[in-house]
Amino acid sequence: MTAEEIEPLFRTSNRLIRETDCSFHRYLAKEIDWNEPLVCIMGARGAGKTTLMLQHVKEAFGEGSDKAIYMSLDNLWFADNNPLGAVEYLYSHGFTHVFLDEVHHVGKQWSLLLKNFVDHFPSMHFAYSGSSMLKLEKGKGDLSRRQSIYRLKGLSFREYLEFEGAGNFEVLELGQILKEHIPIASRICSDIKILPYFDKYRVSGFYPFYKRSPSHYLDQLLETVHKVLDVDYPSIDDVSQETIRKAKRMLMILAASCPQTPNMSALYRELGTERAQGLKMLSALERAGLLALLPPKGESLKNLSKPEKIYCDNTNLMHALVPNANTGTLRETFFCNQLRKDHAVVFSGEGDFFVDGKWTFEVGGRGKRFGQIADIPDSFVVSDDLETGFGNKIPLWLFGFLY
């Protein structure tokens, strides 16, 4: 491969690096060890994976670097050129870091291609991602001994405040919130009016692309959901158009009725599908970042024939899928979403959630009382429409500061 042949890749890389805004960084930027042989960044469509890589290249190497390059494998250049040949050229010209996006566009053998990169060029460092989380999930096993996997969630409420320019606040530990929520909430609320921001975030603040076109954000989010089911889902399982249609209907039925202890047999009958196929669809919807499936206390989803409770993954998805979403459901969905990143969250038969095997939480509005969990040790009421709490009653928004 000649310099003239590969020049379009350098031109595209330099332009994207030059135009990348580095004024705001996601939480994951501080956690990644970019010098691992192979770094995988996983996350739902629109979570900001591409920006994360481009920001690192810009800040660590700069535009026009002779050590690092960003390449998206959906670039038309790869229609006539082999990615392995491009990496061979980069290696022979002293490049040390290659950042690859949309890796699944090379076809079903994308994981084998990455394996060859790592095995054939051991002195180089590779990082990769792609818009299809389902495809990356399916192929990660082939690279299990070679890669370090990092998962990027959507914006936390804390990150959203920083992204909006409302303030730069520290990440809180869950135990810290439970013990010190009164002074912490008081300090934050002395700086900003928190509740209006919280209301906006729950409608349109989880995926960073909301800033591109705020008035069309929910429509764009709905289009993303369709792309996941129309494009990503059939690429990992050999499913028919009829199965895709059923998966879409399943998502809409569950979104409209969440949270619930689902009657899965009735749901499968309504969809006209068998139990085995229904469980596969549920699993795919969760792995795609569309649903959250909660087991009961003492059980793992791996051992269940059905989840105990089902939620949409986040409140933005609920607003896109169900225009008149239930307020109580939105509260529980937010709490579940923010806690699940680093904590074990299961359904509690006494309260709403049982976390890390020790804390019970009941989620509700401003007037929510302790009646249901009054005699349970280490139990807390989590209340919406509340700036600061008291005792074991904690404002809901504060759990958005966990990452």
Side-chain angles (χ1 to χ4, degrees):
M1 186 170 291
T2 66
E4 289 76 17
E5 289 174 322
I6 202 171
E7 192 273 336
L9 287 184
F10 290 123
R11 187 169 63 245
T12 300
S13 177
N14 291 336
R15 174 177 55 79
L16 292 172
I17 293 167
R18 180 172 62 252
E19 295 177 359
T20 295
D21 183 359
C22 293
S23 60
F24 169 76
H25 293 81
R26 296 300 313 281
Y27 71 91
L28 196 60
K30 298 177 181 178
E31 300 176 12
I32 298 175
D33 181 357
W34 297 101
N35 285 314
E36 292 282 348
L38 183 62
V39 168
C40 169
I41 304 172
M42 300 185 70
R45 285 180 179 270
K49 305 180 294 296
T50 297
T51 299
L52 187 68
M53 287 197 293
L54 285 168
Q55 285 179 333
H56 176 70
V57 179
K58 186 171 186 174
E59 294 176 333
F61 300 97
E63 180 189 348
S65 168
D66 60 358
K67 296 296 181 184
I69 187 173
Y70 167 88
M71 303 190 304
S72 183
L73 298 188
D74 65 350
N75 189 320
L76 284 174
W77 187 89
F78 289 104
D80 295 319
N81 295 277
N82 190 328
L84 195 58
V87 173
E88 179 75 56
Y89 176 93
L90 295 168
Y91 171 76
S92 64
H93 286 75
F95 280 74
T96 57
H97 289 73
V98 179
F99 298 83
L100 300 159
D101 212 349
E102 303 295 357
V103 294
H104 53 276
H105 274 270
V106 299
K108 293 183 179 180
Q109 298 297 313
W110 66 266
S111 57
L112 178 60
L113 178 68
L114 292 175
K115 176 180 176 295
N116 286 335
F117 286 168
V118 175
D119 292 347
H120 295 172
F121 308 101
S123 64
M124 297 185 77
H125 306 274
F126 298 91
Y128 77 95
S129 189
S131 57
S132 174
M133 186 158 67
L134 284 173
K135 291 181 183 179
L136 297 191
E137 282 280 4
K138 185 173 183 180
K140 70 180 183 181
D142 299 334
L143 299 164
S144 57
R145 291 179 290 107
R146 293 173 172 82
Q147 68 179 350
S148 298
I149 298 176
Y150 297 87
R151 297 182 182 273
L152 182 65
K153 281 180 65 71
L155 294 168
S156 68
F157 180 47
R158 182 197 68 83
E159 288 183 299
Y160 170 79
L161 292 172
E162 183 180 347
F163 200 32
E164 284 289 295
N168 193 342
F169 301 98
E170 66 175 347
V171 174
L172 302 174
E173 298 287 338
L174 180 56
Q176 187 181 5
I177 290 175
L178 302 184
K179 293 178 182 178
E180 306 170 31
H181 65 91
I182 298 174
I184 292 172
S186 297
R187 285 198 303 271
I188 294 171
C189 290
S190 68
D191 292 336
I192 60 171
K193 290 288 185 183
I194 198 74
L195 296 182
Y197 281 106
F198 190 42
D199 290 340
K200 291 178 182 177
Y201 167 81
R202 286 183 288 181
V203 176
S204 55
F206 187 69
Y207 300 95
F209 68 85
Y210 78 87
K211 274 200 172 183
R212 295 179 202 159
S213 180
S215 61
H216 297 100
Y217 168 70
L218 292 181
D219 291 332
Q220 292 170 348
L221 182 51
L222 201 54
E223 289 175 10
T224 300
V225 172
H226 283 295
K227 187 172 287 187
V228 168
L229 295 176
D230 289 332
V231 180
D232 299 346
Y233 184 29
S235 71
I236 62 153
D237 289 326
D238 187 16
V239 297
S240 65
Q241 286 300 312
E242 178 64 13
T243 300
I244 294 170
R245 185 191 65 78
K246 289 178 181 179
K248 287 183 178 181
R249 190 156 175 247
M250 173 184 276
L251 178 63
M252 296 304 295
I253 290 171
L254 293 173
S257 57
C258 292
Q260 59 167 315
T261 301
N263 184 333
M264 301 309 295
S265 296
L267 176 62
Y268 298 154
R269 282 196 302 272
E270 184 174 352
L271 293 171
T273 190
E274 296 179 349
R275 175 178 172 275
Q277 186 187 48
L279 287 172
K280 276 188 173 183
M281 289 191 289
L282 266 181
S283 175
L285 290 171
E286 181 176 49
R287 285 180 288 130
L290 300 178
L291 290 180
L293 312 180
L294 267 62
K297 274 186 185 181
E299 293 194 47
S300 164
L301 273 177
K302 294 179 181 178
N303 302 321
L304 287 179
S305 60
K306 70 177 184 67
E308 190 67 25
K309 280 288 181 79
I310 299 177
Y311 292 89
C312 280
D313 178 77
N314 61 80
T315 58
N316 288 193
L317 269 176
M318 278 206 72
H319 280 286
L321 294 169
V322 187
N324 298 311
N326 178 271
T327 301
T329 302
L330 288 166
R331 291 166 179 154
E332 292 182 33
T333 300
F334 168 80
F335 182 88
C336 180
N337 172 266
Q338 301 285 288
L339 269 288
R340 285 180 87 223
K341 174 184 175 292
D342 294 313
H343 298 275
V345 182
V346 301
F347 171 70
S348 169
E350 296 148 323
D352 289 317
F353 301 100
F354 190 56
V355 178
D356 291 344
K358 52 185 171 180
W359 294 305
T360 300
F361 296 91
E362 179 75 8
V363 180
R366 185 185 185 94
K368 189 70 176 180
R369 299 182 181 276
F370 285 84
Q372 192 171 340
I373 57 173
D375 299 323
I376 301 173
D378 296 317
S379 62
F380 301 84
V381 165
V382 180
S383 292
D384 199 3
D385 303 317
L386 198 67
E387 284 193 338
T388 57
F390 54 89
N392 280 17
K393 190 169 187 175
I394 306 173
L396 176 62
W397 61 264
L398 196 53
F399 291 90
F401 283 61
L402 289 169
Y403 70 89

